[in-house]
């Protein structure tokens, strides 16, 4: 692992130590912040809330600002999205109640006793499964990120929002538990010619996507639990599909039907939506995978730096192609880069927390991160991305993000 | 060989076959007939497979559209709180592309499928096949794809060739970074 302290910071420290007065100045500064005699707080003088205060539990009332937020209110509130507050989270796992949402016709409230999964089409034995059936199959738990292909789409034309929650928050990472789809496809038996699987939701949108059979047999999961508990309604309760590394829309929620066919089903979601329009007027179709991407979540526009000194830059990196191999961070608009420390374990197609110590000198700075994944792919600059895809492809924006720090400690979304 | 041994041989063979089967399947779920799945088996393929019987005219479709669709999509499909449906012809390669049914959608059959499963927004899956055919025909007419006197059924809808039918290409990523495919 490389030295996490920058050459510039090390040089600054050497100058500081050489000056002789430096260390004394720091001590004087720390000592000058006189602390008044400590109060014994009221909560130390009486018993607290009883056990079972909240039988399920909820965050401290002092954390009430940490919540999902939407970009704007829309006339059809069931066809909107909400974003994960990335700026307020730690580690790599997203708390279940903060997992982003994107629904196309609202959240159905489904009685699991009445929910069914039908599997039919090019299969030997068409079968109908109850939730009890599905819970009896051998299960697996895996940690993976989930990202909407429209995440960060507001950045194509330059800084689109002063909030990492809104710009990058269609992104979450959970432990998902369920049945490998391959197990259920084995149960029904595939017929010759099987090549695609239609996944269809039980919601009012009847959300439907075509999944290549190879993906379905490789690592697709029929998920019923998330971070140790049953799915929340907004995340697909009681059953959803989960396709690691693929755009979120394909992980169909409230899954009620799988139909095996010999061709893609050309649903609205893979023709008129979730296709990427290029400058020549053609559009990429079946653009399923999410590319390598990273973003600094501290400091971000939601934060205020309280004076020069030490800070730990921290963020998230991920790739739909496997594992994150390396994250570099720049504090000088990309003129120089330093390797960030990756939080272990670095998991396959999961969010990876990175960290870099930073001594802010109080001057203007531009903070950036760029990720390399295990295929050798590097996160592009906005200019590199736009040169290939233009400004209208909508989905799959994964360019380097720049946060500008001003001397008053504010952090702003900037394009350099 | 005793009678009891003769009795056990086929039973053992049966057990082996069962063990082998159990390695692959778990015996869970209920058999599903075509009749039982029919109410859920609503998907329509690009070639029209899955389209039901029935037919609908542009004129009948206008009545359905005005009552069920115009409030969100605009009186003439120009868009409103929901997507624009008409126009945008020739705009995809410009700096202001307009994606509509006429300019962007590659298959007319997808329009039937989507309206049938998801529209109208507040009461999806309530339109009869005749109404879905009719409103599909009307939206295609708003895009100058079928004539004002057109009547569509399964065969006719599958035969409609959409203007952007050949507008889609395969995913060419990685297209940036050190591993990008170079032309």
């Amino acid at each position: 692992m490389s030295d996490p302290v920058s050459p510039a910071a090390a040089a600054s420290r050497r100058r500081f130590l050489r000056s002789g007065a430096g260390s004394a100045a720091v001590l004087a500064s720390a000592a000058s912040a006189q602390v008044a005699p400590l109060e014994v707080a009221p909560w130390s003088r009486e018993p607290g809330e009883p056990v079972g205060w909240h039988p399920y539990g909820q965050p401290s009332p002092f954390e009430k600002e940490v919540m999902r937020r939407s970009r704007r209110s829309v006339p059809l509130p069931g066809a909107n999205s909400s974003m994960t507050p990335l700026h307020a989270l730690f580690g790599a796992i997203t708390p279940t109640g903060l997992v982003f949402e994107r629904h196309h016709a609202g959240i159905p409230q489904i009685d699991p006793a009445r929910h069914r999964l039908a599997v039919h089409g090019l299969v030997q034995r068409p079968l109908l499964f109850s939730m009890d059936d599905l819970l009896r199959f051998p299960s697996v738990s895996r940690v993976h990120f989930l990202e909407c292909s429209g995440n960060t789409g507001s950045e194509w034309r330059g800084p689109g929002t002063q909030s990492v929650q809104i710009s990058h928050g269609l992104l979450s990472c959970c432990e998902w538990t369920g049945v490998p789809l391959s197990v259920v496809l084995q149960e029904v038996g595939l017929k010759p010619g099987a090549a695609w699987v239609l996944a269809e939701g039980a919601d009012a949108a009847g959300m439907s996507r075509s999944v290549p059979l190879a993906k379905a047999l490789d690592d697709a999961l029929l998920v019923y639990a998330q971070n140790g508990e049953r799915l929340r309604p907004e995340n697909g309760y009681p059953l959803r599909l989960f396709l690691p590394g693929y755009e979120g829309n394909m992980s169909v929620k409230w899954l009620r039907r799988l139909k095996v066919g010999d061709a893609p089903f050309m649903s609205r979601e893979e023709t008129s939506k979730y296709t990427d329009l290029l400058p020549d007027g053609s559009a990429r179709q079946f653009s399923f995978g999410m590319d390598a991407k990273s973003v600094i979540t501290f400091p971000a526009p939601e934060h205020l730096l309280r004076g020069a000194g030490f800070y730990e830059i921290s963020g998230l990196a991920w790739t739909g192609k496997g594992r994150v191999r390396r994250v570099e961070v720049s504090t000088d608009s990309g003129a120089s880069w330093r390797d960030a420390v990756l939080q272990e374990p670095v998991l396959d197609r999961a969010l990876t927390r990175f960290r870099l110590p930073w001594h802010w000198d109080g001057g203007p700075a531009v903070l950036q991160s760029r990720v390399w994944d295990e295929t050798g792919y590097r996160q592009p600059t906005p200019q590199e991305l736009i040169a290939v895809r233009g400004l209208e492809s909508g989905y799959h924006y994964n360019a380097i993000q720049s946060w500008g720090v001003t001397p008053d400690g504010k952090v702003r979304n900037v394009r350099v | 060989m005793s009678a009891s041994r003769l009795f056990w041989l086929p039973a053992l063979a049966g057990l082996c076959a069962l063990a082998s089967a159990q390695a692959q399947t778990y015996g869970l779920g209920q058999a599903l007939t075509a009749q039982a799945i029919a109410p859920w088996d609503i998907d329509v393929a690009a070639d029209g497979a899955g389209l039901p019987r029935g037919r609908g005219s542009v004129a009948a479709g206008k009545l359905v559209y005005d009552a069920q669709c115009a409030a969100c999509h605009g009186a003439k499909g120009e868009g409103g709180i929901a997507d624009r449906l008409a126009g945008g012809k020739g705009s995809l390669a410009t700096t202001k592309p307009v994606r509509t049914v006429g300019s962007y959608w590659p298959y007319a059959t997808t329009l039937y499928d989507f309206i049938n499963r998801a529209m109208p927004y507040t009461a999806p899956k309530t339109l009869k096949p005749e109404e879905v055919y009719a409103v599909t025909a009307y939206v295609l007419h708003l895009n100058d794809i079928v004539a004002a006197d057109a009547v569509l059924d399964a065969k006719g809808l599958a035969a409609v060739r959409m203007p952007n039918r050949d507008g889609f290409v395969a995913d060419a990523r990685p297209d940036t970074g050190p591993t990008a495919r170079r032309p």
Side-chain angles (χ1 to χ4, degrees):
Chain A
M1 189 61 66
S2 64
D3 179 2
V5 177
S6 74
S12 164
R13 191 172 56 204
R14 284 193 297 273
R15 280 196 304 276
F16 190 70
L17 292 172
R18 270 201 309 273
S19 73
S23 49
V26 165
L27 289 173
S29 167
S32 70
Q34 290 289 339
V35 175
L38 295 172
E39 174 198 14
V40 179
W43 52 79
S44 301
R45 294 175 178 273
E46 61 183 4
E49 306 292 348
V51 167
W53 174 43
H54 292 294
Y56 199 91
Q58 64 179 42
S60 161
F62 298 100
E63 298 293 327
K64 66 183 179 188
E65 291 303 309
V66 180
M67 64 169 76
R68 294 186 279 226
R69 295 179 193 277
S70 295
R71 185 170 174 77
R72 61 176 78 88
S73 62
V74 297
L76 302 173
N80 199 2
S81 56
S82 73
M83 289 77 165
T84 294
L86 301 176
H87 64 284
L89 300 184
F90 304 85
I93 298 294
T94 309
T96 308
L98 296 176
V99 171
F100 79 90
E101 303 164 279
R102 172 71 174 106
H103 318 308
H104 293 71
I107 304 160
Q109 299 297 338
I110 299 176
D111 176 356
R114 295 177 60 195
H115 190 70
R116 295 291 181 273
L117 174 69
V119 187
H120 69 128
L122 288 177
V123 303
Q124 306 284 353
R125 298 172 293 279
L127 290 173
L128 186 68
F129 299 101
S130 67
M131 288 308 302
D132 285 344
D133 292 331
L134 294 169
L135 282 153
R136 285 172 62 185
F137 279 107
S139 62
V140 297
S141 296
R142 297 187 191 131
V143 174
H144 290 302
F145 75 83
L146 178 70
E147 184 184 19
C148 176
S149 58
N151 193 28
T152 326
S154 62
E155 300 299 299
W156 280 106
R157 293 172 188 279
T161 169
Q162 295 300 336
S163 159
V164 70
Q165 179 170 9
I166 302 299
S167 66
H168 286 72
L170 293 169
L171 171 72
S172 301
C173 184
C174 296
E175 183 194 68
W176 308 95
T177 299
V179 190
L181 178 50
S182 60
V183 170
V184 171
L185 291 177
Q186 194 161 266
E187 193 77 9
V188 297
L190 295 170
K191 280 187 174 172
W196 289 79
V197 181
L198 178 77
E200 182 182 88
D203 58 326
M207 177 58 63
S208 56
R209 288 297 307 257
S210 300
V211 180
L213 183 64
K215 180 70 173 177
L217 292 174
D218 178 22
D219 56 5
L221 298 177
L222 298 176
V223 162
Y224 43 75
Q226 175 184 24
N227 292 340
E229 64 177 2
R230 295 293 283 267
L231 289 167
R232 299 280 176 94
E234 63 269 36
N235 296 141
Y237 181 86
L239 184 71
R240 76 176 299 164
L241 184 62
F242 192 88
L243 303 177
Y246 275 23
E247 59 189 17
N249 172 270
M250 297 184 71
S251 289
V252 172
K253 294 180 287 192
W254 315 295
L255 186 71
R256 75 164 189 177
R257 187 165 72 107
L258 294 168
K259 184 177 189 177
V260 181
D262 60 0
F265 291 76
M266 297 296 180
S267 74
R268 180 248 199 184
E269 309 303 332
E270 57 219 13
T271 54
S272 91
K273 307 289 178 186
Y274 303 101
T275 47
D276 309 49
L277 185 59
L278 300 173
D280 69 357
S282 69
R284 287 181 184 163
Q285 191 174 30
F286 309 128
S287 49
F288 298 144
M290 300 307 292
D291 286 319
K293 188 165 164 181
S294 70
V295 65
I296 292 169
T297 57
F298 181 87
E302 288 94 329
H303 303 122
L304 178 68
L305 301 185
R306 299 184 185 281
F310 177 80
Y311 294 92
E312 182 176 74
I313 295 172
S314 179
L316 297 165
W318 64 101
T319 171
K321 295 272 180 57
R323 287 175 176 80
V324 166
R325 193 172 69 191
R326 178 184 187 192
V327 177
E328 297 172 292
V329 171
S330 174
T331 58
D332 55 9
S333 299
S336 65
W337 296 86
R338 286 187 283 155
D339 278 326
V341 173
L342 303 184
Q343 174 70 55
E344 296 287 346
V346 177
L347 298 172
D348 179 16
R349 290 164 295 181
L351 294 188
T352 298
R353 173 67 61 177
F354 65 85
R355 302 185 176 96
L356 185 89
W358 179 45
H359 182 94
W360 181 40
D361 63 9
V366 173
L367 311 182
Q368 300 172 316
S369 64
R370 67 182 184 195
V371 60
W372 301 71
D373 73 18
E374 64 181 345
T375 71
Y377 176 91
R378 171 183 54 73
Q379 184 179 10
T381 65
Q383 293 78 13
E384 288 171 331
L385 191 66
I386 291 164
V388 176
R389 298 194 209 154
L391 294 170
E392 298 296 339
S393 62
Y395 304 104
H396 300 291
Y397 181 94
N398 71 318
I400 291 170
Q401 180 65 40
S402 298
W403 302 130
V405 180
T406 54
D408 59 0
K410 289 185 177 135
V411 182
R412 287 288 174 262
N413 186 358
V414 297
R415 173 70 58 87
V416 296
Chain B
M1 192 175 283
S2 71
S4 63
R5 278 192 177 180
L6 281 172
F7 173 77
W8 278 107
L9 276 172
L12 278 170
L15 271 177
C16 290
L18 187 61
S20 170
Q22 280 177 338
Q24 293 180 345
T25 61
Y26 298 89
L28 296 168
Q30 294 175 276
L32 188 57
T33 63
Q35 188 184 10
I37 190 66
W40 285 14
D41 193 12
I42 59 173
D43 57 274
V44 174
D47 65 2
L51 282 170
R53 287 181 193 155
R55 60 209 299 265
S57 67
V58 170
K62 183 179 189 315
L63 299 178
V64 177
Y65 184 91
D66 288 349
Q68 307 270 18
C69 319
C72 293
H73 293 286
K76 292 285 184 186
E78 71 275 20
I81 60 174
D83 286 359
R84 180 169 173 174
L85 301 177
K89 198 184 293 183
S91 71
L92 297 184
T94 72
T95 56
K96 289 197 163 94
V98 179
R99 300 169 182 78
T100 69
V101 171
S103 71
Y104 200 69
W105 291 42
Y107 298 102
T109 46
T110 304
L111 189 55
Y112 186 102
D113 177 90
F114 181 68
I115 293 169
N116 182 52
R117 71 173 59 242
M119 292 292 122
Y121 183 82
T122 54
K125 305 176 187 74
T126 59
L127 296 177
K128 298 180 179 69
E130 291 75 16
E131 293 174 302
V132 182
Y133 276 117
V135 78
T136 298
Y138 181 65
V139 172
L140 292 172
H141 175 64
L142 287 175
N143 282 285
D144 301 321
I145 292 169
V146 302
D149 61 353
V151 179
L152 291 182
D153 59 7
K155 198 176 165 189
L157 182 60
V160 170
R161 185 171 174 85
M162 299 292 274
N164 198 39
R165 167 68 183 82
D166 297 325
F168 293 84
V169 296
D171 186 4
R173 291 177 297 162
D175 52 9
T176 64
T179 60
R181 298 171 196 173
R182 301 296 177 195

